[in-house]
Amino acid sequence: MPRETPVRIVDELASRGYNTDREAVTLLADAPDTDAAIERALEAVPDDAVKLSVEDVRDVLETNAGNVDRSRGRSDTHSSSDSGERDPSVSSGDPSLESSHDRGAVPPETEGVESGSGDGNRTRRERDPSEPAIAGDVTGRSTGTGEYEDFVAVFRDRYEKLSGQLRGRVNHRPTSAVESMPGGSEAAIVGMVADIRSTANGHWLIDLEDTTGTFPALVMKDRDMADLVDDLLFDEVIAVEGTLADDGGILFADSIHFPDVPRTFEPSTADRAVSAALISDVHVGSQEFDADAWNRFAEWLHTPEADRVEYLLLAGDMVEGVGIYPDQDEELDIVDIYDQYEAFAEHLKAVPGDMEIVMIPGNHDAVRLAEPQPAFDEELREIMSAHDARITGNPSTVTVEGVDVLMYHGVSLDEVIAELPEDHASYDHPDRAMAQLLKKRHIAPQFGGHTRIAPEERDYLVMEDVPDVFHTGHVHKLGYGSYHNVLTINSACWQQQTSFQESVNIDPDVGYAPIVHLDKLDESDASDFLTIRSFG
Ligand code: D5M
Ligand code: FE
Ligand code: ZN
């Protein structure tokens, strides 16, 4: 962020007679309001101090830290699982909902809503002024400092939450207690996947870690559940039931359980005829931003046909950003990040002024990269103030007309797609990767990999509650499905293929707007509650 560079902070402090260290500068740079944080930090330092220490900064930011830690979560190296002999069978999506980008779009329902006044402009009936409620947003609550203790805290919180979800399904014991159980006993462990190794004979050895220690479980390659090992990611929490070896030192697995979404889950629905457009990845500022497609979408929103589309949910990457990937500057239409947001704000003004808009940031946006990402700061909010959008962190659960929509930009999908077998998760079926996250009840299970994760006191990335709709973007592919009745939607994008994407073989789906009919989520036929509109 040009105006918030560490250099500017250092200059500012120097001009006021203070020296400081890099960590303090990083903390200040990532505070929601850097200038206010500088002022507060300077007020708090002792009168005779010549240095603003990291502790000083932390003290004043303690309830509002906004720290960036982009370092690896763990220093121990995970041995990678052998993907050579994977024979997967699980298909997470409901076959009735198989992705079909070009299937005939079903016109949105219009009953219960007055249609347009005849001149092509729609009229809207009065609606409840209550705004969408937000939960699970880190904004203003970040406390992480990137220290070892934060990792301990975030893992402990993750373990507590996810083991709680598994409790009741298995009669588990702490690993320290399992260690002293006699050989041959039946036992169950709930643990984080600390390591996965294949043995010389092709079986799987999974180290399960809980708050008392680590214990190995052996999954025999010829058991049905061996397929499930293909789906495991490091640091996810699972339960394993089995029998202890004669010498007690290993658990022979009989079953593996995931926190998962109950099969009996029933989504909530709106109690009136209302729909939401779920989009993401606008990438304004890129030469490949497809303004024509965007304009067609915005115009359509003004037509009577779109009358019931009262909500616009934007799952990140509003702008292209700067310095995101190699040689990106050669494809920038707008080179200044603030100018990019100004342009994005103009494009947003094209959508009807009475729509409720909710926005979370993505990896191209000007907030810290590490997840959970806090919402846009005051300066950016100011720029995007038209429509009075709800601006919240990534991820956030937004309750719209009684329907809980979990919005997450989607960086961990890259990781799920890279780690899991092709037919369990792929760029052509991002909804399957989303189903895996629902099964694991975690937004981004793996620390220290592709997804940057900031350790916080709490694990904001655990899915404590089952959402009714799970909305992601990032992979620039349209995909949707249903996992245990949770509607999964990966919105496509508004950016044509960049040279970078060409180099990594990403063929984006451009200009689609999935429209979710919030009052119909309990219908069994997808075409009743989801309409894919194409503007590309
Ligand atoms: O992500 C757009 C797509 O590009 C998404 O599928 C991830 C992919 N992508 C982004 N960065 C990389 C790197 N470094 N390697 C491989 N693939 C990548 P977006 O967030 O819009 O850039
Ligand atoms: Fe994107
Ligand atoms: Zn992205």
Side-chain angles (χ1 to χ4, degrees):
M1 289 196 284
R3 295 182 209 180
E4 306 247 324
T5 50
V7 176
R8 187 180 70 74
I9 294 167
V10 171
D11 283 348
E12 176 68 24
L13 292 173
S15 74
R16 309 201 11 201
Y18 290 93
N19 195 341
T20 188
D21 55 36
R22 269 182 35 198
E23 214 179 333
V25 172
T26 307
L27 282 177
L28 288 167
D30 289 283
D33 183 337
T34 295
D35 290 311
I38 293 173
E39 295 309 324
R40 277 167 38 224
L42 290 182
E43 273 166 28
V45 291
D47 285 343
D48 56 349
V50 292
K51 181 175 170 186
L52 184 64
S53 73
V54 66
E55 286 74 20
D56 296 326
V57 176
R58 222 173 259 152
D59 284 348
V60 303
L61 294 179
E62 63 189 21
T63 54
N64 205 0
N67 163 64
V68 176
D69 181 273
R70 294 178 180 173
S71 61
R72 289 278 169 121
R74 288 174 157 188
S75 53
D76 53 332
T77 48
H78 296 304
S79 67
S80 79
S81 54
D82 173 5
S83 58
E85 43 184 76
R86 297 184 159 180
D87 180 22
S89 58
V90 179
S91 167
S92 50
D94 172 344
S96 69
L97 265 173
E98 280 303 319
S99 304
S100 55
H101 307 167
D102 51 5
R103 72 176 183 166
V106 184
E109 302 288 335
T110 52
E111 70 264 32
V113 182
E114 282 176 33
S115 58
S117 52
D119 59 3
N121 287 323
R122 64 183 185 175
T123 54
R124 288 175 180 279
R125 59 177 197 178
E126 291 294 312
R127 65 161 169 256
D128 185 339
S130 64
E131 290 188 324
I134 308 282
D137 169 22
V138 71
T139 310
R141 292 189 282 176
S142 173
T143 55
T145 57
E147 304 291 334
Y148 174 76
E149 292 72 29
D150 292 326
F151 289 99
V152 174
V154 78
F155 278 127
R156 196 172 279 269
D157 189 51
R158 170 184 303 199
Y159 182 79
E160 267 164 30
K161 285 173 174 154
L162 292 176
S163 65
Q165 294 182 9
L166 285 155
R167 206 167 290 144
R169 273 186 275 164
V170 292
N171 185 18
H172 74 284
R173 296 273 171 272
T175 53
S176 58
V178 172
E179 267 168 14
S180 48
M181 285 167 75
S185 316
E186 305 221 319
I189 294 171
V190 172
M192 276 180 28
V193 175
D195 201 6
I196 307 171
R197 300 182 295 279
S198 62
T199 68
N201 297 327
H203 305 304
W204 296 106
L205 210 44
I206 303 167
D207 283 339
L208 296 167
E209 183 176 350
D210 66 10
T211 50
T212 68
T214 302
F215 201 88
L218 186 78
V219 178
M220 308 290 277
K221 65 180 175 193
D222 45 4
R223 301 286 300 265
D224 283 352
M225 83 196 127
D227 281 348
L228 294 174
V229 177
D230 290 340
D231 289 345
L232 293 182
L233 294 175
F234 295 120
D235 309 324
E236 71 170 292
V237 177
I238 58 170
V240 176
E241 279 179 311
T243 311
L244 289 174
D246 289 344
D247 72 357
I250 199 164
L251 180 70
F252 290 114
D254 288 322
S255 59
I256 297 178
H257 305 263
F258 294 83
D260 222 324
V261 174
R263 285 184 182 276
T264 52
F265 177 73
E266 289 180 21
S268 300
T269 58
D271 56 13
R272 68 190 185 90
V274 62
S275 304
L278 274 51
I279 64 165
S280 66
D281 298 274
V282 192
H283 289 265
V284 172
S286 160
Q287 286 171 11
E288 285 80 18
F289 164 59
D290 191 336
D292 293 337
W294 178 267
N295 290 337
R296 284 190 286 272
F297 170 53
E299 277 162 30
W300 176 75
L301 287 171
H302 286 273
T303 65
E305 206 180 23
D307 222 3
R308 51 173 283 160
V309 187
E310 296 185 16
Y311 295 90
L312 179 64
L313 309 187
L314 276 146
D317 285 0
M318 310 302 144
V319 300
E320 174 66 359
V322 292
I324 308 286
Y325 58 81
D327 298 326
Q328 185 198 28
D329 49 333
E330 288 167 22
E331 287 181 68
L332 286 181
D333 186 30
I334 304 170
V335 295
D336 181 273
I337 185 83
Y338 290 91
D339 292 344
Q340 291 182 0
Y341 281 100
E342 299 276 3
F344 168 73
E346 287 306 309
H347 286 292
L348 204 53
K349 285 179 191 159
V351 314
D354 57 355
M355 286 188 86
E356 289 278 2
I357 299 179
V358 182
M359 284 189 238
I360 63 168
N363 57 313
H364 283 244
D365 285 301
V367 304
R368 78 168 181 195
L369 186 57
E371 298 174 6
Q373 294 183 288
F376 298 115
D377 67 14
E378 276 311 315
E379 194 167 4
L380 295 174
R381 280 170 197 256
E382 193 61 37
I383 294 173
M384 295 183 280
S385 59
H387 284 292
D388 203 16
R390 286 303 301 269
I391 290 179
T392 177
N394 171 38
S396 285
T397 297
V398 182
T399 305
V400 181
E401 304 276 336
V403 174
D404 291 341
V405 182
L406 172 56
M407 296 177 68
Y408 168 57
H409 178 60
V411 168
S412 72
L413 297 176
D414 284 331
E415 194 155 6
V416 174
I417 289 168
E419 301 277 341
L420 267 50
E422 170 91 25
D423 49 355
H424 289 207
S426 66
Y427 283 109
D428 287 331
H429 293 284
D431 52 294
R432 295 181 185 170
M434 297 173 77
Q436 289 289 341
L437 297 179
L438 285 166
K439 185 172 171 177
K440 301 173 192 312
R441 293 287 289 271
H442 203 280
I443 291 284
Q446 210 158 266
F447 259 86
H450 170 82
T451 315
R452 315 287 185 129
I453 300 177
E456 298 284 350
E457 232 166 78
R458 283 179 43 193
D459 190 345
Y460 289 88
L461 304 176
V462 171
M463 297 184 203
E464 290 186 62
D465 299 307
V466 178
D468 301 310
V469 178
F470 185 20
H471 172 204
T472 59
H474 179 63
V475 298
H476 293 210
K477 284 292 205 182
L478 178 66
Y480 47 88
S482 175
Y483 181 72
H484 296 183
N485 299 323
V486 177
L487 175 60
T488 52
I489 297 186
N490 194 83
S491 39
C493 65
W494 303 85
Q495 181 189 39
Q496 298 290 343
Q497 191 183 46
T498 63
S499 354
F500 174 75
Q501 288 165 3
E502 193 180 355
S503 74
V504 293
N505 260 329
I506 288 163
D507 182 18
D509 293 326
V510 183
Y512 292 92
I515 312 291
V516 178
H517 311 309
L518 300 169
D519 51 327
K520 311 225 163 168
L521 289 170
D522 52 351
E523 302 275 343
S524 54
D525 189 348
S527 62
D528 285 333
F529 55 78
L530 178 64
T531 308
I532 305 296
R533 289 269 158 193
S534 169
F535 303 95

PDB file of all heavy atoms in Angstrom, residues 450-470:
ATOM      1  N   HIS A 450       0.413 -23.221   1.089  1.00  0.00           N
ATOM      2  CA  HIS A 450       0.104 -22.176   0.123  1.00  0.00           C
ATOM      3  C   HIS A 450      -0.685 -21.033   0.755  1.00  0.00           C
ATOM      4  O   HIS A 450      -0.485 -19.861   0.435  1.00  0.00           O
ATOM      5  CB  HIS A 450      -0.694 -22.817  -1.018  1.00  0.00           C
ATOM      6  CG  HIS A 450      -1.302 -21.878  -1.988  1.00  0.00           C
ATOM      7  ND1 HIS A 450      -0.593 -21.324  -3.033  1.00  0.00           N
ATOM      8  CD2 HIS A 450      -2.558 -21.380  -2.069  1.00  0.00           C
ATOM      9  CE1 HIS A 450      -1.403 -20.534  -3.722  1.00  0.00           C
ATOM     10  NE2 HIS A 450      -2.599 -20.555  -3.164  1.00  0.00           N
ATOM     11  N   THR A 451      -1.595 -21.367   1.661  1.00  0.00           N
ATOM     12  CA  THR A 451      -2.468 -20.342   2.245  1.00  0.00           C
ATOM     13  C   THR A 451      -1.769 -19.682   3.423  1.00  0.00           C
ATOM     14  O   THR A 451      -1.330 -20.366   4.345  1.00  0.00           O
ATOM     15  CB  THR A 451      -3.785 -20.994   2.730  1.00  0.00           C
ATOM     16  OG1 THR A 451      -4.252 -21.875   1.720  1.00  0.00           O
ATOM     17  CG2 THR A 451      -4.826 -19.932   3.012  1.00  0.00           C
ATOM     18  N   ARG A 452      -1.649 -18.368   3.370  1.00  0.00           N
ATOM     19  CA  ARG A 452      -1.029 -17.660   4.502  1.00  0.00           C
ATOM     20  C   ARG A 452      -2.058 -17.561   5.616  1.00  0.00           C
ATOM     21  O   ARG A 452      -3.145 -17.056   5.396  1.00  0.00           O
ATOM     22  CB  ARG A 452      -0.618 -16.243   4.112  1.00  0.00           C
ATOM     23  CG  ARG A 452       0.072 -16.144   2.788  1.00  0.00           C
ATOM     24  CD  ARG A 452       1.479 -16.691   2.850  1.00  0.00           C
ATOM     25  NE  ARG A 452       2.141 -16.451   1.574  1.00  0.00           N
ATOM     26  CZ  ARG A 452       3.328 -15.880   1.469  1.00  0.00           C
ATOM     27  NH1 ARG A 452       3.987 -15.497   2.527  1.00  0.00           N
ATOM     28  NH2 ARG A 452       3.870 -15.721   0.275  1.00  0.00           N
ATOM     29  N   ILE A 453      -1.662 -18.011   6.776  1.00  0.00           N
ATOM     30  CA  ILE A 453      -2.588 -17.977   7.903  1.00  0.00           C
ATOM     31  C   ILE A 453      -1.933 -17.255   9.068  1.00  0.00           C
ATOM     32  O   ILE A 453      -0.795 -17.540   9.422  1.00  0.00           O
ATOM     33  CB  ILE A 453      -2.995 -19.405   8.325  1.00  0.00           C
ATOM     34  CG1 ILE A 453      -3.684 -20.104   7.144  1.00  0.00           C
ATOM     35  CG2 ILE A 453      -3.913 -19.372   9.533  1.00  0.00           C
ATOM     36  CD1 ILE A 453      -4.059 -21.538   7.409  1.00  0.00           C
ATOM     37  N   ALA A 454      -2.654 -16.279   9.614  1.00  0.00           N
ATOM     38  CA  ALA A 454      -2.139 -15.547  10.762  1.00  0.00           C
ATOM     39  C   ALA A 454      -2.636 -16.232  12.028  1.00  0.00           C
ATOM     40  O   ALA A 454      -3.825 -16.461  12.171  1.00  0.00           O
ATOM     41  CB  ALA A 454      -2.642 -14.107  10.739  1.00  0.00           C
ATOM     42  N   PRO A 455      -1.732 -16.578  12.933  1.00  0.00           N
ATOM     43  CA  PRO A 455      -2.202 -17.175  14.170  1.00  0.00           C
ATOM     44  C   PRO A 455      -2.876 -16.102  15.021  1.00  0.00           C
ATOM     45  O   PRO A 455      -2.354 -15.004  15.181  1.00  0.00           O
ATOM     46  CB  PRO A 455      -0.918 -17.666  14.834  1.00  0.00           C
ATOM     47  CG  PRO A 455       0.150 -16.794  14.293  1.00  0.00           C
ATOM     48  CD  PRO A 455      -0.274 -16.376  12.919  1.00  0.00           C
ATOM     49  N   GLU A 456      -4.026 -16.411  15.509  1.00  0.00           N
ATOM     50  CA  GLU A 456      -4.757 -15.498  16.378  1.00  0.00           C
ATOM     51  C   GLU A 456      -5.061 -16.261  17.663  1.00  0.00           C
ATOM     52  O   GLU A 456      -4.858 -17.458  17.742  1.00  0.00           O
ATOM     53  CB  GLU A 456      -6.080 -15.071  15.707  1.00  0.00           C
ATOM     54  CG  GLU A 456      -5.910 -14.312  14.404  1.00  0.00           C
ATOM     55  CD  GLU A 456      -5.473 -12.868  14.620  1.00  0.00           C
ATOM     56  OE1 GLU A 456      -5.486 -12.422  15.785  1.00  0.00           O
ATOM     57  OE2 GLU A 456      -5.134 -12.214  13.633  1.00  0.00           O
ATOM     58  N   GLU A 457      -5.586 -15.545  18.645  1.00  0.00           N
ATOM     59  CA  GLU A 457      -5.947 -16.207  19.889  1.00  0.00           C
ATOM     60  C   GLU A 457      -7.028 -17.253  19.645  1.00  0.00           C
ATOM     61  O   GLU A 457      -7.104 -18.265  20.314  1.00  0.00           O
ATOM     62  CB  GLU A 457      -6.499 -15.156  20.836  1.00  0.00           C
ATOM     63  CG  GLU A 457      -5.865 -15.139  22.192  1.00  0.00           C
ATOM     64  CD  GLU A 457      -6.262 -13.856  22.883  1.00  0.00           C
ATOM     65  OE1 GLU A 457      -7.407 -13.804  23.371  1.00  0.00           O
ATOM     66  OE2 GLU A 457      -5.455 -12.909  22.902  1.00  0.00           O
ATOM     67  N   ARG A 458      -7.888 -16.950  18.704  1.00  0.00           N
ATOM     68  CA  ARG A 458      -8.965 -17.868  18.331  1.00  0.00           C
ATOM     69  C   ARG A 458      -8.720 -18.335  16.915  1.00  0.00           C
ATOM     70  O   ARG A 458      -8.094 -17.633  16.129  1.00  0.00           O
ATOM     71  CB  ARG A 458     -10.298 -17.105  18.304  1.00  0.00           C
ATOM     72  CG  ARG A 458     -10.903 -16.811  19.619  1.00  0.00           C
ATOM     73  CD  ARG A 458     -12.196 -16.023  19.382  1.00  0.00           C
ATOM     74  NE  ARG A 458     -12.984 -16.589  18.275  1.00  0.00           N
ATOM     75  CZ  ARG A 458     -14.002 -15.960  17.708  1.00  0.00           C
ATOM     76  NH1 ARG A 458     -14.354 -14.762  18.111  1.00  0.00           N
ATOM     77  NH2 ARG A 458     -14.660 -16.522  16.717  1.00  0.00           N
ATOM     78  N   ASP A 459      -9.276 -19.475  16.572  1.00  0.00           N
ATOM     79  CA  ASP A 459      -9.207 -19.916  15.184  1.00  0.00           C
ATOM     80  C   ASP A 459     -10.484 -19.469  14.474  1.00  0.00           C
ATOM     81  O   ASP A 459     -11.514 -20.139  14.540  1.00  0.00           O
ATOM     82  CB  ASP A 459      -9.030 -21.436  15.105  1.00  0.00           C
ATOM     83  CG  ASP A 459      -8.710 -21.881  13.680  1.00  0.00           C
ATOM     84  OD1 ASP A 459      -8.911 -21.066  12.754  1.00  0.00           O
ATOM     85  OD2 ASP A 459      -8.254 -23.020  13.502  1.00  0.00           O
ATOM     86  N   TYR A 460     -10.381 -18.331  13.818  1.00  0.00           N
ATOM     87  CA  TYR A 460     -11.549 -17.771  13.120  1.00  0.00           C
ATOM     88  C   TYR A 460     -11.923 -18.599  11.902  1.00  0.00           C
ATOM     89  O   TYR A 460     -12.947 -18.364  11.288  1.00  0.00           O
ATOM     90  CB  TYR A 460     -11.254 -16.336  12.653  1.00  0.00           C
ATOM     91  CG  TYR A 460     -11.180 -15.346  13.773  1.00  0.00           C
ATOM     92  CD1 TYR A 460      -9.984 -15.106  14.443  1.00  0.00           C
ATOM     93  CD2 TYR A 460     -12.305 -14.642  14.182  1.00  0.00           C
ATOM     94  CE1 TYR A 460      -9.908 -14.198  15.486  1.00  0.00           C
ATOM     95  CE2 TYR A 460     -12.241 -13.736  15.221  1.00  0.00           C
ATOM     96  CZ  TYR A 460     -11.040 -13.521  15.865  1.00  0.00           C
ATOM     97  OH  TYR A 460     -10.980 -12.630  16.891  1.00  0.00           O
ATOM     98  N   LEU A 461     -11.042 -19.512  11.529  1.00  0.00           N
ATOM     99  CA  LEU A 461     -11.271 -20.252  10.290  1.00  0.00           C
ATOM    100  C   LEU A 461     -12.017 -21.571  10.505  1.00  0.00           C
ATOM    101  O   LEU A 461     -12.357 -22.252   9.546  1.00  0.00           O
ATOM    102  CB  LEU A 461      -9.926 -20.487   9.580  1.00  0.00           C
ATOM    103  CG  LEU A 461      -9.146 -19.184   9.300  1.00  0.00           C
ATOM    104  CD1 LEU A 461      -7.788 -19.488   8.687  1.00  0.00           C
ATOM    105  CD2 LEU A 461      -9.927 -18.258   8.387  1.00  0.00           C
ATOM    106  N   VAL A 462     -12.288 -21.889  11.776  1.00  0.00           N
ATOM    107  CA  VAL A 462     -13.140 -23.059  12.040  1.00  0.00           C
ATOM    108  C   VAL A 462     -14.577 -22.707  11.667  1.00  0.00           C
ATOM    109  O   VAL A 462     -15.048 -21.613  11.959  1.00  0.00           O
ATOM    110  CB  VAL A 462     -13.093 -23.441  13.543  1.00  0.00           C
ATOM    111  CG1 VAL A 462     -14.141 -24.502  13.875  1.00  0.00           C
ATOM    112  CG2 VAL A 462     -11.711 -23.940  13.933  1.00  0.00           C
ATOM    113  N   MET A 463     -15.265 -23.626  11.003  1.00  0.00           N
ATOM    114  CA  MET A 463     -16.694 -23.414  10.748  1.00  0.00           C
ATOM    115  C   MET A 463     -17.459 -23.940  11.956  1.00  0.00           C
ATOM    116  O   MET A 463     -17.796 -25.115  12.029  1.00  0.00           O
ATOM    117  CB  MET A 463     -17.144 -24.171   9.500  1.00  0.00           C
ATOM    118  CG  MET A 463     -16.478 -23.710   8.232  1.00  0.00           C
ATOM    119  SD  MET A 463     -17.213 -24.630   6.845  1.00  0.00           S
ATOM    120  CE  MET A 463     -15.900 -24.477   5.639  1.00  0.00           C
ATOM    121  N   GLU A 464     -17.705 -23.030  12.893  1.00  0.00           N
ATOM    122  CA  GLU A 464     -18.371 -23.472  14.113  1.00  0.00           C
ATOM    123  C   GLU A 464     -19.814 -23.870  13.837  1.00  0.00           C
ATOM    124  O   GLU A 464     -20.338 -24.803  14.411  1.00  0.00           O
ATOM    125  CB  GLU A 464     -18.304 -22.375  15.164  1.00  0.00           C
ATOM    126  CG  GLU A 464     -16.890 -22.192  15.686  1.00  0.00           C
ATOM    127  CD  GLU A 464     -16.827 -21.203  16.821  1.00  0.00           C
ATOM    128  OE1 GLU A 464     -17.448 -21.465  17.868  1.00  0.00           O
ATOM    129  OE2 GLU A 464     -16.177 -20.153  16.641  1.00  0.00           O
ATOM    130  N   ASP A 465     -20.464 -23.105  12.977  1.00  0.00           N
ATOM    131  CA  ASP A 465     -21.844 -23.419  12.622  1.00  0.00           C
ATOM    132  C   ASP A 465     -21.887 -23.801  11.152  1.00  0.00           C
ATOM    133  O   ASP A 465     -21.071 -23.345  10.360  1.00  0.00           O
ATOM    134  CB  ASP A 465     -22.740 -22.200  12.862  1.00  0.00           C
ATOM    135  CG  ASP A 465     -22.714 -21.790  14.324  1.00  0.00           C
ATOM    136  OD1 ASP A 465     -22.968 -22.655  15.177  1.00  0.00           O
ATOM    137  OD2 ASP A 465     -22.387 -20.616  14.602  1.00  0.00           O
ATOM    138  N   VAL A 466     -22.844 -24.607  10.812  1.00  0.00           N
ATOM    139  CA  VAL A 466     -23.002 -24.995   9.410  1.00  0.00           C
ATOM    140  C   VAL A 466     -23.694 -23.846   8.679  1.00  0.00           C
ATOM    141  O   VAL A 466     -24.753 -23.398   9.099  1.00  0.00           O
ATOM    142  CB  VAL A 466     -23.860 -26.276   9.290  1.00  0.00           C
ATOM    143  CG1 VAL A 466     -24.060 -26.641   7.824  1.00  0.00           C
ATOM    144  CG2 VAL A 466     -23.215 -27.417  10.060  1.00  0.00           C
ATOM    145  N   PRO A 467     -23.088 -23.348   7.608  1.00  0.00           N
ATOM    146  CA  PRO A 467     -23.767 -22.286   6.858  1.00  0.00           C
ATOM    147  C   PRO A 467     -24.882 -22.883   5.989  1.00  0.00           C
ATOM    148  O   PRO A 467     -24.871 -24.076   5.696  1.00  0.00           O
ATOM    149  CB  PRO A 467     -22.652 -21.717   5.979  1.00  0.00           C
ATOM    150  CG  PRO A 467     -21.715 -22.868   5.770  1.00  0.00           C
ATOM    151  CD  PRO A 467     -21.792 -23.725   7.006  1.00  0.00           C
ATOM    152  N   ASP A 468     -25.812 -22.044   5.596  1.00  0.00           N
ATOM    153  CA  ASP A 468     -26.843 -22.499   4.652  1.00  0.00           C
ATOM    154  C   ASP A 468     -26.290 -22.448   3.228  1.00  0.00           C
ATOM    155  O   ASP A 468     -26.646 -23.261   2.381  1.00  0.00           O
ATOM    156  CB  ASP A 468     -28.086 -21.618   4.773  1.00  0.00           C
ATOM    157  CG  ASP A 468     -28.660 -21.653   6.186  1.00  0.00           C
ATOM    158  OD1 ASP A 468     -28.858 -22.763   6.708  1.00  0.00           O
ATOM    159  OD2 ASP A 468     -28.876 -20.579   6.786  1.00  0.00           O
ATOM    160  N   VAL A 469     -25.446 -21.449   2.999  1.00  0.00           N
ATOM    161  CA  VAL A 469     -24.816 -21.280   1.686  1.00  0.00           C
ATOM    162  C   VAL A 469     -23.337 -21.012   1.929  1.00  0.00           C
ATOM    163  O   VAL A 469     -22.981 -20.263   2.837  1.00  0.00           O
ATOM    164  CB  VAL A 469     -25.429 -20.082   0.912  1.00  0.00           C
ATOM    165  CG1 VAL A 469     -24.733 -19.897  -0.438  1.00  0.00           C
ATOM    166  CG2 VAL A 469     -26.938 -20.264   0.717  1.00  0.00           C
ATOM    167  N   PHE A 470     -22.481 -21.631   1.151  1.00  0.00           N
ATOM    168  CA  PHE A 470     -21.035 -21.395   1.240  1.00  0.00           C
ATOM    169  C   PHE A 470     -20.631 -20.742  -0.078  1.00  0.00           C
ATOM    170  O   PHE A 470     -20.831 -21.319  -1.145  1.00  0.00           O
ATOM    171  CB  PHE A 470     -20.339 -22.748   1.454  1.00  0.00           C
ATOM    172  CG  PHE A 470     -18.851 -22.680   1.691  1.00  0.00           C
ATOM    173  CD1 PHE A 470     -18.216 -21.516   2.124  1.00  0.00           C
ATOM    174  CD2 PHE A 470     -18.068 -23.829   1.507  1.00  0.00           C
ATOM    175  CE1 PHE A 470     -16.836 -21.487   2.346  1.00  0.00           C
ATOM    176  CE2 PHE A 470     -16.700 -23.814   1.730  1.00  0.00           C
ATOM    177  CZ  PHE A 470     -16.081 -22.639   2.148  1.00  0.00           C
TER     178      PHE A 470
END
